[in-house]
């Protein structure tokens, strides 16, 4: 699989750690990012996983960036692409040529978008969590593959709640990926 990220790469690290067990059944063949000089790329390099960067600003428009990203991903011939903290919306070129899943820090369909944890707190929910879903053309609208609940505690801040969600998100991704990796690449989740 190819993992796409935009930041620290803690989800990637969880997968890389699990993949050290030959019985895990998942291999990260490359890590792609939309920014240079981020911790996630350093995590991949430390494990000798090839990396690439495809920055939006290096292209005349979003469609050109998406086509270039699809080509970069395709060079590694992955069975699956995992958007793990990748903070860009993937377009039709990537989605037409690759099976993509995404992690999201809320129990979709509630609280889609980039501010899910803040939105959950603002709405006063007592339970939120994380979702692994197939990526489609919408924003966090693809079919739900797995979810894990996280209790919202009295006194939670956006930061404290997000940290607990990240723990659940890493566990959810690591436990769900082997089953997804066994699905034939042409079968959509």
């Amino acid at each position: 699989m190819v993992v796409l990220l935009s930041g620290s790469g803690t989800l990637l690290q969880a997968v890389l750690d699990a993949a050290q067990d030959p019985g895990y059944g998942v291999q990260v063949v490359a890590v792609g990012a939309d920014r240079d000089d981020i911790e996630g790329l350093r995590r991949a390099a430390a494990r000798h996983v090839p990396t690439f960067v495809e920055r939006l600003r290096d292209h005349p428009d979003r469609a050109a960036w998406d086509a270039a990203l699809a080509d970069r991903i395709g060079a590694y011939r992955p069975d699956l692409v995992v958007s793990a903290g990748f903070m860009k919306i993937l377009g039709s070129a990537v989605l037409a040529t690759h099976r993509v899943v995404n992690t999201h820090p809320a129990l979709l369909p509630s609280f889609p978008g980039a501010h899910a944890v803040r939105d959950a707190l603002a709405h006063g929910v007592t339970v939120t969590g994380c979702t692994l879903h197939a990526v489609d053309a919408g924003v966090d609208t693809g079919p739900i593959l797995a979810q894990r609940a996280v209790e919202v505690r009295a006194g939670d801040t956006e930061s404290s709640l997000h940290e607990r969600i990240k723990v659940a998100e890493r566990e959810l991704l690591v436990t769900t990926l082997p089953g997804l990796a066994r699905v034939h690449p042409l079968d959509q989740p």
Side-chain angles (χ1 to χ4, degrees):
M1 69 183 53
V2 169
V3 177
L4 300 177
L5 48 77
S6 294
S8 66
T10 57
L11 288 165
L12 167 67
Q13 188 67 57
V15 173
L16 291 173
D17 290 348
Q20 287 194 290
D21 175 355
Y24 183 59
V26 171
Q27 179 187 7
V28 178
V29 295
V31 172
D34 61 336
R35 300 187 295 154
D36 296 303
D37 195 32
I38 56 174
E39 184 62 25
L41 293 174
R42 288 188 282 277
R43 290 176 191 270
R47 292 287 179 92
H48 308 289
V49 175
T51 63
F52 64 89
V53 175
E54 200 62 55
R55 297 179 308 188
L56 180 59
R57 70 178 182 223
D58 293 339
H59 299 278
D61 57 33
R62 198 173 242 325
W65 168 78
D66 187 59
L69 182 61
D71 288 345
R72 295 293 291 271
I73 294 167
Y76 295 97
R77 302 179 52 132
D79 294 329
L80 185 66
V81 176
V82 178
S83 174
F86 190 63
M87 300 308 291
K88 294 280 188 291
I89 295 172
L90 299 171
S92 60
V94 170
L95 297 177
T97 55
H98 302 290
R99 189 167 61 112
V100 184
V101 297
N102 180 55
T103 60
H104 183 74
L107 294 174
L108 292 174
S110 297
F111 313 117
H115 305 290
V117 178
R118 181 186 322 158
D119 293 345
L121 283 171
H123 279 82
V125 298
T126 58
V127 175
T128 187
C130 55
T131 301
L132 182 66
H133 66 94
V135 176
D136 64 11
V139 176
D140 299 324
T141 57
I144 294 168
L145 304 171
Q147 293 183 308
R148 186 151 304 160
V150 174
E151 176 188 15
V152 178
R153 297 176 184 158
D156 257 336
T157 64
E158 184 176 350
S159 178
S160 66
L161 178 57
H162 202 180
E163 286 306 311
R164 284 200 322 285
I165 291 171
K166 287 178 184 178
V167 170
E169 200 172 19
R170 288 188 292 267
E171 292 170 355
L172 179 68
L173 184 61
V174 166
T175 59
T176 308
L177 278 180
L180 294 175
R182 289 179 185 90
V183 174
H184 188 275
L186 298 178
D187 295 337
Q188 293 298 311

